[in-house]
Amino acid sequence: MTEPWAASGAIGTFIILLTMAINHIPFPLVDLLTTFYRKVLSVVYPYDQVTINENRGENMQRDELYTTAEAYLGSACTSRARKLKAEVGTGSDRPLVTIGDNEEVTDTFKGTKVWWFSRKQTSNTNIISFYPGYEERKYYCLTFHKCHRQLVEREYLNHILQEGRAAILQNRQRKLFTNNPSSNWYNYRGSVWSHVAFEHPATFDTLAMDPEKKAAIIDDLVTFREGKEYYQKIGKAWKRGYLLYGPPGTGKSTMISAIANFLEYDVYDLELTAVKTNTELRKIFIETTGKSIIVIEDIDCSLDLTNKRKEKKKEKDDEEKEKLLPGQEEKDDNSKLTLSGLLNFIDGLWSACGGERILIFTTNHPEKLDEALIRRGRMDMRIEMSYCTFEAFKVLAKNYLEVERHELFGIIHTLLGIVNITPADVAEGLLRKKSRNNDVGACLENLIREIEAKREADEEAAKEKDKLKAGSSTQNALDLEDDKADGIKE
Ligand SMILES: Nc1ncnc2c1ncn2[C@@H]1O[C@H](COP(=O)(O)OP(=O)(O)OP(=O)(O)O)[C@@H](O)[C@H]1O
Ligand SMILES: [Mg+2]
């Protein structure tokens, strides 16, 4: 590894001598000597260098290439370094280990060897600066053979950027974002999104659902995550939409957390009711980052998007339009939030910005949604979260009670075949009550009682419904008789 650095001492001496000589040489000869010097230099020292400074600009902000190089060297080259350093960066929840100051390592890219040297220089002057970068300069020096210059410039630096970004993402503390009302965006320290650390523990292992369905979803997610080149090839934005539907308590929100934990993505929980216009929606979208899941929960309640309500609204709009005076303009669509605005957000030109994204809508009433919103291509996969099946119960029993079989499983199997009970209710029934010191059998008996109670409640409700139906059909028959009698009288 000493090759490029060993030569540099001799070259330094040569440069000093040359500079001294140049001061005493007539001007026309200087050009000639400089050309000669360059030729000699390229023979003696055939290496080029790229310097990547830690700070740049007037405010000395951290340069992204430096940060990504730091993360890249930490993930790819630490095994070859003797001096390491570890720190917890901003937005990270784990220590980042990278090569120490003034340490050298080598890296190999497409069969080409390059040298990295991490340098730290402290200024000898007595300037006291607000920005630490003025007193201390840190940079990486990347050295490579001249003949590999194109490879380094065109490919290697880009490779550092991509790999470093991926390493930073892996190391970061994931976040759960929610959008602020637009009235707060321009306040002091105002921003479009607020966030907290994302710490939901749900995983696909703890998610109770049909194993085959679960495997299909995981498969779909993996294909998506690894599909960068494929999406590029087929000319599609790298994004995927999932519609989760089912009754309350069947695990839609839990599924979102499991997906986020599986992919290690951030979650943007978009509260549509706080968005007033299409323009606001676009801004909100632009402010999201790649490797994220954008969630709109209960989409049917968030926006006037159902066909029926839309038709009603159209009638109302037509009435209002008629009332407009000549010359008075109709309000621009961008001044309100519309279905077309939302569709544009899902698959318009903006949707391709900023890297891979997953979009998830949840609803308890998929039949209420406009077809345009959930058609294939917008919502690529529709996932039904159903009432608890026996397979789903087994996952919950394993999680909550750490049992895979029990003599009471048979009764539960039969009951779950005839009673519609949500995984949330089953989970609640299985919860060990510490105060009661419940054992597995007691918990399962408790669950059986809950399912039986649910069955009775369902039967009662069905009877009530039948009664009401019978009542209303008798009333209808009576009304019909009255109408007939009225007709005869007339
Ligand atoms: N399929 C499931 N697997 C594991 N736990 C579940 C499942 N479904 C529900 N639960 C449990 O029930 C609780 C409520 O579930 P969750 O919030 O995911 O339901 P939801 O379908 O989003 O309901 P809603 O439609 O009311 O938003 C969860 O915290 C979890 O403990
Ligand atoms: Mg939910």
Side-chain angles (χ1 to χ4, degrees), residues 78-219:
T78 43
S79 58
R80 291 187 290 280
R82 274 172 301 144
K83 261 197 287 171
L84 299 172
K85 65 176 178 185
E87 54 195 35
V88 179
T90 2
S92 170
D93 64 345
R94 283 165 251 184
L96 170 79
V97 178
T98 189
I99 64 167
D101 298 330
N102 299 321
E103 176 68 348
E104 297 168 26
V105 281
T106 54
D107 188 24
T108 309
F109 177 69
K110 294 196 170 172
T112 301
K113 192 173 174 188
V114 298
W115 292 262
W116 284 91
F117 188 29
S118 115
R119 305 238 28 200
K120 181 175 167 181
Q121 283 177 346
T122 316
S123 162
N124 292 329
T125 56
N126 293 329
I127 301 167
I128 297 170
S129 164
F130 182 69
Y131 301 108
Y134 280 117
E135 289 124 43
E136 187 184 270
R137 183 177 167 227
K138 278 197 211 169
Y139 60 93
Y140 286 117
C141 199
L142 169 64
T143 307
F144 48 89
H145 198 281
K146 269 179 191 311
C147 62
H148 301 310
R149 187 166 175 156
Q150 282 207 348
L151 179 81
V152 169
E153 275 183 24
R154 294 192 186 159
E155 293 182 48
Y156 185 60
L157 287 177
N158 213 23
H159 167 75
I160 300 296
L161 202 61
Q162 303 304 332
E163 294 294 312
R165 277 180 186 156
I168 290 171
L169 276 173
Q170 230 174 21
N171 220 40
R172 86 208 142 140
Q173 164 74 64
R174 281 180 307 116
K175 293 178 187 144
L176 170 63
F177 294 85
T178 186
N179 53 310
N180 297 321
S182 55
S183 51
N184 294 357
W185 291 358
Y186 306 103
N187 290 350
Y188 168 67
R189 300 186 107 186
S191 63
V192 174
W193 295 96
S194 304
H195 68 261
V196 291
F198 180 77
E199 286 170 342
H200 201 293
T203 62
F204 276 110
D205 288 336
T206 63
L207 185 72
M209 71 184 297
D210 180 49
E212 276 175 25
K213 237 164 132 185
K214 199 193 284 189
I217 296 166
I218 294 176
D219 193 42

Side-chain angles (χ1 to χ4, degrees), residues 287-311:
E287 299 269 331
T288 61
T289 55
K291 290 198 188 295
S292 62
I293 301 177
I294 302 176
V295 178
I296 305 181
E297 289 251 39
D298 298 318
I299 179 91
D300 54 308
C301 310
S302 307
L303 194 58
D304 220 2
L305 294 174
T306 68
N307 268 329
K308 277 181 213 154
R309 276 183 280 170
K310 236 175 59 187
E311 275 159 22

Side-chain angles (χ1 to χ4, degrees), residues 200 202-203 205-210 214 244-257 297-298 362-364 385-386 388 392 395-396 399-400 422-428:
H200 201 293
T203 62
D205 288 336
T206 63
L207 185 72
M209 71 184 297
D210 180 49
K214 199 193 284 189
L244 303 183
Y245 65 95
T250 47
K252 296 180 292 297
S253 305
T254 312
M255 164 74 91
I256 295 171
S257 303
E297 289 251 39
D298 298 318
T362 76
T363 178
N364 297 333
M385 301 302 290
S386 61
C388 195
V395 176
L396 291 173
N399 281 338
Y400 282 67
T422 61
D425 286 336
V426 173
E428 188 53 37

